[in-house]
Amino acid sequence: MLVIGAGCAGMRAAIEAHDAGAEVALVSKLHPTRSHSGAARGGINAALGNAGPDSPARHAADTVKGSDYLGDQDAIELFCAEAPGDIYQLERWGVLFDRDDEGRLAQRPFGGAGAPRTVHAADVTGHVLLQVLYEQLLARGVHVYEEYFAWRLVLGDAGYPGVLAWDLVRGGVKAIAAKAVVLATGGSGRVYRGSTNAYACTADGMAMALRAGLPLEDLEFMQFHPTTLFPSGLLVTEAVRGEGGHLLNAGGERFMSRYAPEAMELASRDIVSRAEQTEIDEGRSLDGSLLLDMRHFGREKILERFHGTRDLALTYARVDPLEHPLSVRPGAHYHMGGVATDVDGRTEAGNVFAAGEVACVSLHGANRLGGNSLMETIVFGRRAGRAAAEEALEKGGSAELGAGARAEGEREIAELLERREGERPTAIRDELGASMNENFGVFREEGRMRRQLELLEDLRERYQRVLVEDKGEVWNSDLTQALELGFQLDLAVGMVSAGLERRESRGAHSRPKDFPERDDQSFLKHSLVRWSSDWLDLSWKPVTITKWQPQKRTY
Ligand SMILES: Cc1cc2nc3c(=O)[nH]c(=O)nc-3n(C[C@H](O)[C@H](O)[C@H](O)COP(=O)(O)OP(=O)(O)OC[C@H]3O[C@@H](n4cnc5c(N)ncnc54)[C@H](O)[C@@H]3O)c2cc1C
């Protein structure tokens, strides 16, 4: 079987599939340890109860409330119940989580959580996880096609799925067939200009699935993180607020007291980002940014627990958080939507699975809680790896892609490389990013979304003539960036189309002017978009409710 993507989700899936007895290979456009999971800082959630009373049930209740009641409660309960076991497994493999004075795994508070539940390795948790998972992968001898760029998912007439991938180092198309495929290609944050995501987060897997005819769920929900460093957009971890950081407006007021009087800065991200955007829109910001103050932590705590954050601030903002507050604003951060799967990562295709940020289980619903995403890569990466391995092991014969698939891929690439006239991708990409921030940001409304769809139609039209200037085959980033832009444009159409149809405000989808309230009567349901000829069809499916009926959400 084949895993596409070597971040935390992909590597966890590959390890599990190998241990279940399947022959596994992994394809990744980046070296595995350069995957974006490595940027995760604050930590990973599991109800261990080490820093105060906690339980999987409390974790589940917080996640349901955080999701603005859109998360599927069966998936949430299962996730919260399995998370502690996965933390201990990671520890046994060698993840050096921080410990408290009694020697137990330390846990810090995070937004929207009713107990300190976030396990961490200083403020470099994702980096540590990636290294340990990679070590486990190597120990098992799993083959990794490093620096292969997958750009087409083939569902396969003969019942075997696979991908077409471009060999970045040597050039040339590789057609890889498998008995089961796991998509673990991460998120799509780079659809926006202002984003905490790496340049590699370009929605590849989501768009490949969409083009292959699979449905994508809840695409309208893009999380805006409240504390991205101004002006670079790099993330300042939620752990700063978790450990007591203050958000201030231009007048020095802790403005969260007006929006979430109890939780204050530790309200969930959608609420804090909306509060910040309101402060900005109503003229109480400093040139479009707010202040995050951690000076009261004291020197020792900042140097010990936030050395990564301090380095980031010194390097990219030339501000020392020991001396001054940091300038921050909301930025695109995490896509709650993705390829629709069940709790085993299985998509509608049956032999194609998805896990991690590319997937929508749906664990996060309309708003993700910080720390739940790394845990999702582990819990659902493991489950998808196991289910895909079982699927592969049941099948006989050897996997092959239809004869035409590779030739068709070669034709597509040749056509791009041979084109002599057209428009470079940069301008299209810049317009896409800027307009998504402008028209589909923290706040949305009908007119702007309609304008955005028209603009996207125009950008997709221009993209038909996109020009790849580098005609070489080796390390042709011009080529891959052009392909990534195609992914982003298709996905953006899905996001805005779903946003237009969701005529309510819920979680990260906020329409204060035209539909300011949550409307459970009409919209307690997941959106599903599916490619049909050249545009998208939209349908809905119900939310799974087990214990928690929707309530008014206050913090
Ligand atoms: C700055 C930042 C900080 C964060 N901090 C936290 C945190 O503290 N706690 C938390 O829970 N969550 C955090 N998150 C979210 C979390 O880190 C991610 O959601 C999660 O790590 C995604 O993991 P993944 O394995 O799904 O994808 P990734 O780690 O992004 O991996 C994707 C993989 O797919 C490969 N790939 C992509 N496209 C292709 C292609 N076309 N062909 C071949 N390979 C491809 C890439 O090479 C890569 O190996 C943070 C996110 C950001 C941006």
Side-chain angles (χ1 to χ4, degrees), residues 5-6 8-9 28-30 35-37 40 42-43 150 204 235 357 371 373-374:
C8 284
S28 180
K29 69 178 178 182
L30 303 173
S35 299
H36 194 54
S37 291
D204 305 16
L235 182 82
E357 194 168 337
S373 169
L374 278 182

Side-chain angles (χ1 to χ4, degrees), residues 190-367:
R190 277 283 148 190
V191 168
Y192 288 82
R193 183 177 54 184
S195 169
T196 61
N197 286 200
Y199 285 101
C201 300
T202 45
D204 305 16
M206 294 184 197
M208 280 191 273
L210 192 62
R211 290 172 183 179
L214 299 176
L216 266 54
E217 185 171 332
D218 291 342
L219 284 188
E220 61 274 37
F221 296 105
M222 169 63 71
Q223 176 166 82
F224 281 75
H225 196 292
T227 56
T228 74
L229 199 60
F230 181 80
S232 65
L234 293 166
L235 182 82
V236 177
T237 173
E238 183 155 310
V240 174
R241 283 177 293 129
E243 304 250 359
H246 295 164
L247 280 170
L248 309 172
N249 63 16
E253 180 203 5
R254 271 180 83 187
F255 58 87
M256 282 310 298
S257 61
R258 283 185 276 113
Y259 301 89
E262 280 184 32
M264 297 287 286
E265 285 84 356
L266 275 183
S268 63
R269 289 177 181 174
D270 55 337
I271 289 175
V272 184
S273 284
R274 278 202 297 277
E276 289 184 355
Q277 195 61 50
T278 305
E279 294 297 296
I280 293 169
D281 293 349
E282 294 181 359
R284 292 185 291 277
S285 71
L286 299 107
D287 283 341
S289 69
L290 285 314
L291 294 173
L292 177 63
D293 198 353
M294 56 197 286
R295 288 173 296 178
H296 52 286
F297 291 179
R299 185 179 181 83
E300 198 183 328
K301 181 164 167 179
I302 293 180
L303 294 184
E304 189 194 318
R305 297 229 180 148
F306 295 104
H307 59 87
T309 302
R310 181 169 179 250
D311 281 352
L312 195 87
L314 284 168
T315 310
Y316 294 98
R318 301 205 180 283
V319 173
D320 188 344
L322 289 171
E323 310 284 341
H324 302 283
L326 305 177
S327 290
V328 295
R329 68 176 167 193
H333 180 60
Y334 180 89
H335 209 156
M336 272 74 72
V339 183
T341 73
D342 66 12
V343 292
D344 291 317
R346 196 180 294 267
T347 69
E348 192 183 89
N351 51 18
V352 176
F353 299 74
E357 194 168 337
V358 69
C360 179
V361 178
S362 137
L363 167 67
H364 312 296
N367 173 64

Side-chain angles (χ1 to χ4, degrees), residues 134-209:
Y134 188 50
E135 193 177 68
Q136 291 296 318
L137 201 71
L138 292 182
R140 286 164 173 78
V142 172
H143 182 74
V144 185
Y145 290 95
E146 266 169 31
E147 293 164 337
Y148 277 78
F149 180 92
W151 90 94
R152 185 173 310 173
L153 174 67
V154 185
L155 294 187
D157 302 336
Y160 295 119
V163 289
L164 296 181
W166 176 253
D167 180 346
L168 293 167
V169 180
R170 288 160 289 265
V173 173
K174 189 152 189 83
I176 312 174
K179 293 177 181 170
V181 166
V182 179
L183 285 172
T185 47
S188 63
R190 277 283 148 190
V191 168
Y192 288 82
R193 183 177 54 184
S195 169
T196 61
N197 286 200
Y199 285 101
C201 300
T202 45
D204 305 16
M206 294 184 197
M208 280 191 273

Side-chain angles (χ1 to χ4, degrees), residues 1 16-18 20-22 180 182 353 384-394:
M1 58 162 279
E16 188 70 13
H18 173 276
V182 179
F353 299 74
R386 170 75 45 172
E390 284 166 4
E391 173 75 26
L393 288 166
E394 264 175 29

